[in-house]
């Protein structure tokens, strides 16, 4: 008899997204959801089931913070401009 796969649980997905937005590490997020109903017991299964939620939350926070840095750089903030140029334009 094959093992029944775990469902994608929206309560877990919501906690993952909120935690990523708050800057919490993936290991801490996994540890905080492992006791929830329908939670994966292994890190590998956690990533398999919630990969899209993780990727979406990471993209969202990077877009949000990135736009702040770019707007600051465009506004004349030299530190923000240097950060952008070093990380995205290949300056060293």
């Amino acid at each position: 008899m094959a093992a029944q796969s775990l469902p994608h649980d929206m309560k877990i997905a919501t906690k993952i997204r909120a935690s990523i937005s708050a800057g919490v590490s993936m290991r801490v997020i996994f540890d905080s959801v492992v006791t929830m109903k329908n939670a994966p017991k292994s890190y590998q299964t956690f990533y398999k089931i919630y990969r899209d939620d993780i990727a979406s939350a990471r993209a969202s926070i990077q877009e949000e913070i990135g736009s702040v840095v770019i707007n600051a750089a465009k506004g004349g903030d030299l530190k923000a401009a240097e950060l952008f140029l070093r990380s995205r334009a290949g300056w060293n």
Side-chain angles (χ1 to χ4, degrees), residues 37-76:
K37 183 180 177 185
N38 295 323
K41 301 303 180 208
S42 77
Y43 204 60
Q44 183 178 4
T45 304
F46 173 72
Y47 263 101
K48 182 179 175 184
I49 295 172
Y50 296 100
R51 177 183 320 265
D52 291 340
D53 297 293
I54 294 166
S56 176
R58 285 178 173 169
S60 179
I61 193 70
Q62 288 178 14
E63 181 180 322
E64 185 179 330
I65 300 301
S67 69
V68 169
V69 172
I70 290 171
N71 287 335
K74 287 179 179 179

